[in-house]
Amino acid sequence: MTAPHLWVRAEQRDNETRVGITPKGVSTLMEQGFRVTVEASDTRVIATDAYKATGCAIAPQNSWPDAPADAIIFGLKELPEDGTPLVHRHIMFGHAYKGQSAGRTLLGRFKAGGGTLLDLEYLTEDSGRRVAAFGYWAGFAGAAVAVKCWAAQTRNKAVAAITPYPDADALTRDLAAQIDGLEVPDALVIGALGRVGSGAADLCARLGIKVTGWDMKETAHGGPFPEILQHVLFFNCILAGPQTPVFVPQSALDRPRALRVIGDIACDPDSDFNPVPVYDRATTWAEPALRVHNTPPLDVTAIDNLPSMLPLESSEDYAAQLLPTLSALADHDAPVWQRARTLFVTHSAKL
């Protein structure tokens, strides 16, 4: 069997500096017989020279469309939306299987080019648990953005643009300064037992924010959920599906409520299963908050690449989780990759 050729592309999205494999991971794969090519990048949190030192091939930035046909293109976030057919196997977060309009377009590009999407979000163990996730740092950063928004709202200011931090301690210190002198809010976290919810709860604990933690047991009755409206902050930390109930309906906007900021960390506003249908678009680093009601104010924060606020910690954590699964690319029959291929075929057939 020909050794797998993993091509690590440079991310092309603004404010995305993460990477899914470290130089140590590249060395490990090469020791296992992989060919590895890493694109140069002037924005990646780990410098190109660190990869070059492993002895792997270095390719020009954004040259993946011209990669050999057998190369497996590995990145994290979305590709440029230029409509070109996709001919390679791509490992990435596709956001294509929950009815998203952009996802249907992406699947159409794969169908046109004969390529394959191996979606990172759906790489699972036999038990169904995801093999790797940025969840903890998404929760930590998502809660931080919501707290920033609440502090600005309370002071009648616009929330400032989001920027990366060198580490979690620096982020925590900045937040503590922003909320200094304000009455500390409370928060409700749905998905508190998962990775995302744990990250959100840990950020709150660092700031002395009292957390009510909910998981499947508390939401099994299907709603309504008046308790959410009784908390100042609400964090949605679950991967929604067809059976997920609505947590904050449009009708909640006009009800009496303490709720002032929703941190929709799951961030699927254009999904058919969005459990927070009071907003219709993701927010951005430049404009982190969306005002969905004025009196009393209610803001939503919903940024879909939150772990990039802490790019080094989140990259190292995720890469360590994912490396054993990348190693399994050498086994064509590895169940984790078979499941990913089957899922792609199933959803592509619906086009």
Side-chain angles (χ1 to χ4, degrees):
M1 180 181 295
T2 304
H5 182 184
L6 189 70
W7 185 289
V8 183
R9 61 177 170 87
E11 297 294 329
Q12 292 174 261
R13 174 178 174 160
D14 291 343
N15 301 311
E16 184 53 79
T17 62
R18 292 173 296 168
V19 62
I21 188 168
T22 63
K24 181 179 179 181
V26 167
S27 294
T28 297
L29 292 184
M30 292 173 64
E31 290 167 1
Q32 295 171 353
F34 280 69
R35 291 181 293 155
V36 180
T37 299
V38 177
E39 289 186 1
S41 172
D42 52 14
T43 58
R44 188 169 48 224
V45 68
I46 300 176
T48 302
D49 284 348
Y51 291 95
K52 186 176 182 179
T54 69
C56 73
I58 302 297
Q61 184 166 300
N62 306 330
S63 60
W64 60 266
D66 299 320
D70 66 343
I72 304 168
I73 312 301
F74 175 36
L76 295 177
K77 299 302 289 185
E78 60 266 40
L79 303 171
E81 295 180 356
D82 56 14
T84 55
L86 298 171
V87 302
H88 296 92
R89 285 174 289 172
H90 280 258
I91 301 172
M92 58 182 284
F93 286 100
H95 303 295
Y97 297 157
K98 292 188 288 184
Q100 302 99 321
S101 58
R104 289 190 290 270
T105 300
L106 178 65
L107 290 177
R109 293 173 65 189
F110 277 108
K111 192 169 185 176
T116 302
L117 170 63
L118 302 172
D119 198 311
L120 288 166
E121 187 174 346
Y122 296 92
L123 296 182
T124 60
E125 300 170 351
D126 293 342
S127 65
R129 179 178 173 83
R130 288 171 64 178
V131 300
F134 281 103
Y136 178 86
W137 293 108
F140 194 98
V145 174
V147 171
K148 283 175 177 281
C149 176
W150 170 80
Q153 180 195 106
T154 303
R155 298 184 190 279
N156 293 314
K157 296 181 178 180
V159 61
I162 300 301
T163 56
Y165 288 82
D167 54 43
D169 289 341
L171 172 56
T172 304
R173 288 193 297 271
D174 183 42
L175 282 178
Q178 291 186 39
I179 67 173
D180 185 41
L182 300 178
E183 183 178 351
V184 179
D186 58 358
L188 189 148
V189 176
I190 291 184
L193 298 182
R195 292 164 169 156
V196 180
S198 295
D202 284 355
L203 183 280
C204 289
R206 287 185 177 216
L207 298 173
I209 295 172
K210 182 180 178 181
V211 170
T212 300
W214 281 12
D215 216 87
M216 295 179 65
K217 177 182 176 181
E218 290 80 7
T219 60
H221 64 83
F225 303 103
E227 298 91 340
I228 294 174
L229 304 185
Q230 296 165 9
H231 290 76
V232 176
L233 306 174
F234 165 55
F235 300 123
N236 173 40
C237 300
I238 67 163
L239 181 65
Q243 306 305 316
T244 304
V246 171
F247 299 137
V248 184
Q250 275 283 343
S251 58
L253 299 181
D254 295 315
R255 296 176 189 169
R257 54 180 167 80
L259 184 63
R260 294 294 182 268
V261 177
I262 297 171
D264 189 14
I265 299 169
C267 190
D268 258 333
D270 62 346
S271 168
D272 294 339
F273 315 129
N274 178 17
V276 192
V278 296
Y279 78 111
D280 60 1
R281 60 189 182 275
T283 61
T284 66
W285 286 50
E287 298 181 356
L290 177 66
R291 178 66 51 89
V292 295
H293 202 265
N294 288 314
T295 309
L298 180 61
D299 293 322
V300 176
T301 62
I303 297 173
D304 63 2
N305 63 333
L306 286 162
S308 279
M309 286 180 64
L310 298 165
L312 184 59
E313 287 163 310
S314 60
S315 292
E316 290 177 341
D317 181 21
Y318 185 79
Q321 296 175 53
L322 186 64
L323 185 60
T325 302
L326 291 179
S327 295
L329 283 166
D331 177 6
H332 184 75
D333 296 322
V336 62
W337 294 110
Q338 282 189 334
R339 285 190 288 270
R341 282 188 288 269
T342 298
L343 195 60
F344 168 74
V345 170
T346 299
H347 283 273
S348 294
K350 297 176 183 178
L351 291 179

